[in-house]
């Protein structure tokens, strides 16, 4: 079932999300619906607050041909993207590390705006899968970027808040129009 994606200006996007405590069919159903919604919107990641549910749930599906992911380990073992996609998890704990680099990000909740965001190249993430299994993912590239971006949503942070001061000035009127449209 397709869900409505909350847009910039919706207060749910600013909420700090509560952790998932119950692993049940309702959680799995929400994750499946989020995945379907993300695919329909042509995205690669979606966090629960983006569908107006303020809980710590994220779905990610990065195409296997994404060449920017040159390092990916799950529980210390080398993996390929297709081995773990789609990735659906709750209650993430991230440890970003490495050199900081800019990358143009967009967001399904911030319609038609892309901006350069500086983030660490790598991330070590402790993720709880929907069956309750806990895994550690250590990666770089687009997966590391996407993990950081989506997990920001769980803390009420949008990528447009992480841009430079100059970009904030440039985006100010566009963001005002988006918020007014909400």
């Amino acid at each position: 079932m397709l869900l409505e994606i909350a847009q910039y200006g919706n207060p749910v996007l600013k909420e700090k999300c509560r952790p998932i405590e119950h692993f049940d069919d309702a959680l799995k159903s929400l994750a499946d619906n989020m995945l379907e919604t993300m695919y329909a919107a042509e995205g690669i990641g979606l966090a629960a607050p983006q569908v107006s549910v303020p809980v710590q749930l994220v779905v990610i599906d990065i195409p296997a041909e994404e060449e920017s992911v040159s390092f990916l380990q799950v529980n210390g073992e080398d993996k390929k993207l297709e081995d773990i996609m789609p990735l659906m998890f709750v209650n993430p704990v991230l440890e970003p590390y490495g050199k900081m680099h800019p990358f143009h990000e967009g967001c399904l909740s911030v319609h038609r705006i892309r901006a350069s965001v500086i983030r660490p190249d790598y991330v070590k993430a402790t993720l709880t899968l929907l069956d309750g299994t806990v895994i550690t993912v250590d990666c770089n590239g687009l997966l590391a970027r996407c993990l950081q971006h989506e997990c920001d949503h769980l803390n009420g942070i949008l990528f447009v808040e992480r841009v430079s001061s100059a970009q904030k000035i440039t985006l100010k009127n566009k963001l005002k129009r988006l918020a007014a449209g909400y």
Side-chain angles (χ1 to χ4, degrees), residues 19-164:
I20 295 290
E21 296 176 1
H22 303 287
F23 296 82
D24 54 17
D25 290 342
L27 177 66
K28 178 73 170 120
S29 179
L30 175 58
D32 289 342
N33 290 336
M34 285 173 57
L35 206 56
E36 183 180 345
T37 301
M38 181 191 76
Y39 292 145
E42 299 181 3
I44 59 169
L46 190 66
Q50 292 181 271
V51 293
S52 299
V53 182
V55 298
Q56 293 184 19
L57 169 64
V58 171
V59 299
I60 293 174
D61 195 355
I62 296 174
E65 64 273 7
E66 177 51 50
E67 295 175 13
S68 77
V69 179
S70 60
F71 174 71
L72 172 57
Q73 289 188 336
V74 177
N75 296 334
E77 293 183 24
D78 291 338
K79 296 287 183 182
K80 295 180 181 174
L81 269 177
E82 59 263 26
D83 295 335
I84 65 167
M85 293 295 145
L87 189 57
M88 299 187 282
F89 59 88
V90 300
N91 307 338
V93 177
L94 299 188
E95 299 172 43
Y97 66 97
K99 290 184 179 179
M100 303 287 280
H101 279 104
F103 186 84
H104 261 72
E105 294 186 19
C107 181
L108 296 176
S109 291
V110 186
H111 196 60
R112 289 197 278 248
I113 291 181
R114 294 183 62 78
S116 183
V117 179
I118 298 173
R119 296 185 192 267
D121 284 339
Y122 290 82
V123 69
K124 184 175 185 177
T126 303
L127 312 173
T128 303
L129 303 180
L130 300 188
D131 65 2
T133 304
V134 177
I135 63 170
T136 301
V137 174
D138 201 350
C139 62
N140 72 350
L142 188 56
L143 180 55
R145 175 78 46 176
C146 192
L147 282 165
Q148 293 174 77
H149 175 109
E150 297 307 329
C151 291
D152 268 356
H153 278 296
L154 305 181
N155 292 302
I157 300 169
L158 298 172
F159 83 100
V160 291
E161 296 168 50
R162 294 209 180 266
V163 300
S164 69

